[in-house]
Amino acid sequence: MVEIDLDTKIKFLHGFSHKTRIQILDCIKEKEKTVSQIVNDLQGNQSNISQHLACLKGCGLIVGRQDGKFVYYRVRNQLVHDLLTMFDVVLEDVQNDVACCEQYID
């Protein structure tokens, strides 16, 4: 297995470190969507969502597909999809501990 640089790991994990980015990943986990569809689903604003999409793309978690004037976003591949599913599986087990964690800084 190839050893990954610590800074690269941190940049990758940064993609998961904001509520809006997690909402976006959940929103497009099963089906690709345009920015407008994501904004509508999340009841967010387009500028904010676009910034978070750029972060997710930069972290390698999502890709965009141009179709005419629209860009459709989806999770990068099955590995990312599986990772998102695994987060939910692990959280089912540890959610009470996480909910009580006093170390969380917003």
Side-chain angles (χ1 to χ4, degrees):
M1 188 166 186
V2 177
E3 188 170 328
I4 307 293
D5 175 70
L6 181 60
D7 288 336
T8 302
K9 286 181 184 180
I10 292 167
K11 286 179 184 180
F12 174 75
L13 292 171
H14 179 73
F16 300 104
S17 69
H18 194 277
K19 180 180 179 178
T20 301
R21 290 194 289 274
I22 297 298
Q23 289 174 311
I24 291 169
L25 289 167
D26 284 344
C27 181
I28 63 173
K29 181 178 172 186
E30 302 299 335
K31 179 182 175 186
E32 67 179 9
K33 295 185 180 181
T34 65
V35 174
S36 297
Q37 290 170 316
I38 296 167
V39 167
N40 186 54
D41 287 353
L42 301 184
Q43 298 296 301
N45 73 57
Q46 199 255 330
S47 175
N48 187 28
I49 298 293
S50 292
Q51 288 176 358
H52 287 292
L53 285 167
C55 177
L56 290 167
K57 196 170 181 183
C59 291
L61 296 172
I62 67 170
V63 293
R65 175 183 65 83
Q66 186 81 38
D67 185 8
K69 67 178 186 170
F70 298 102
V71 177
Y72 288 84
Y73 291 95
R74 63 176 172 78
V75 294
R76 180 182 195 95
N77 54 31
Q78 188 62 44
L79 287 172
V80 174
H81 183 277
D82 293 347
L83 179 60
L84 295 172
T85 300
M86 185 55 68
F87 280 154
D88 291 340
V89 170
V90 171
L91 280 170
E92 281 181 37
D93 183 50
V94 299
Q95 66 181 326
N96 290 332
D97 293 332
V98 173
C100 295
C101 178
E102 295 180 12
Q103 302 300 314
Y104 175 73
I105 301 170
D106 190 15

